Amino acid sequence: MNIEVRKLTPEDAEAYVEFFDTTPHDDHVPEHTCYCVNWCSADHRNLKQPDREERRAMALDYVKNNILQGYIALSDKKIIGWCNANTKSDCSNCAGIVFALPDLQKVISAPEEKVKVIYCFMVAEEYQRQGVARRLLQAVCEDAKKEGFDYIEAYPQKDASVTWMQFMGFDELYKREGFEHYEELEDKYVVRKYL
């Protein structure tokens, strides 16, 4: 299988939203399509959850303006996988995180540290369990090291049977790539890889 992994660019905006349009979430409810806009969105400051069309419009805008950061996996020039990875300082005070996962606000990093955070993965169903998420994670780690980050942080769910929360990646996936447990939250691990 020939897969290319690279950073998301503004030119990918239409293909990005089409990937979310056509790739079902775990519960297969179209209205739950997130377009991955919660993490760095001042538009969530009033804690009102936007509907699907509002999220789609936000995603187009965020990708075109380099607000939404991450990596895409492509097969035959079509997006088949996504990993949301951004600089923690750009998102740590964001209302989107407070809205979606308030316990992440408790995870403190030293102000002088440069931290890359992985918030989620999404892989098209027909490509799942074929190493796509691992390839995305490896690309994030390689680039973060080149870009001078101190470490990468992620938040896998403790209970792997809670399928709707597995978008944050599996603990075993991170362990295989050299991440270590740093902290335990109520239902998640905080894992870090020092670069």
Side-chain angles (χ1 to χ4, degrees), residues 82-146:
W82 159 249
C83 175
N84 185 323
N86 208 334
T87 304
K88 188 173 184 178
S89 60
D90 291 344
C91 293
S92 61
N93 295 316
C94 170
I97 294 173
V98 175
F99 176 83
L101 297 165
D103 55 346
L104 298 188
Q105 288 293 333
K106 302 172 190 170
V107 182
I108 305 299
S109 298
E112 69 277 5
E113 292 176 320
K114 189 174 178 186
V115 184
K116 177 75 80 173
V117 174
I118 295 171
Y119 291 112
C120 70
F121 291 91
M122 188 159 167
V123 177
E125 284 185 311
E126 61 271 29
Y127 291 94
Q128 291 176 3
R129 308 222 184 288
Q130 296 180 47
V132 175
R134 189 171 191 183
R135 297 260 317 265
L136 287 161
L137 179 57
Q138 289 168 341
V140 173
C141 293
E142 288 167 16
D143 283 358
K145 186 170 186 173
K146 290 178 197 169

Side-chain angles (χ1 to χ4, degrees), residues 41-184:
S41 169
D43 301 302
H44 289 75
R45 208 163 291 287
N46 63 4
L47 302 186
K48 171 198 169 281
Q49 178 69 331
D51 66 25
R52 180 180 178 167
E53 288 308 310
E54 290 171 318
R55 291 190 298 271
R56 189 181 196 280
M58 283 183 213
L60 274 171
D61 179 57
Y62 293 168
V63 175
K64 288 177 181 176
N65 290 291
N66 275 321
I67 296 168
L68 192 56
Q69 301 284 311
Y71 288 74
I72 52 176
L74 302 104
S75 178
D76 296 323
K77 299 183 181 179
K78 180 180 177 185
I79 298 176
I80 60 160
W82 159 249
C83 175
N84 185 323
N86 208 334
T87 304
K88 188 173 184 178
S89 60
D90 291 344
C91 293
S92 61
N93 295 316
C94 170
I97 294 173
V98 175
F99 176 83
L101 297 165
D103 55 346
L104 298 188
Q105 288 293 333
K106 302 172 190 170
V107 182
I108 305 299
S109 298
E112 69 277 5
E113 292 176 320
K114 189 174 178 186
V115 184
K116 177 75 80 173
V117 174
I118 295 171
Y119 291 112
C120 70
F121 291 91
M122 188 159 167
V123 177
E125 284 185 311
E126 61 271 29
Y127 291 94
Q128 291 176 3
R129 308 222 184 288
Q130 296 180 47
V132 175
R134 189 171 191 183
R135 297 260 317 265
L136 287 161
L137 179 57
Q138 289 168 341
V140 173
C141 293
E142 288 167 16
D143 283 358
K145 186 170 186 173
K146 290 178 197 169
E147 294 165 5
F149 282 86
D150 295 302
Y151 60 88
I152 303 171
E153 187 172 275
Y155 316 103
Q157 190 76 9
K158 288 181 183 176
D159 183 353
S161 68
V162 183
T163 56
W164 74 273
M165 282 298 289
Q166 295 312 328
F167 65 88
M168 299 190 94
F170 291 94
D171 191 37
E172 284 303 313
L173 168 67
Y174 294 112
K175 283 182 182 174
R176 284 196 303 266
E177 293 303 317
F179 284 72
E180 300 173 351
H181 285 190
Y182 172 75
E183 195 173 331
E184 244 182 84

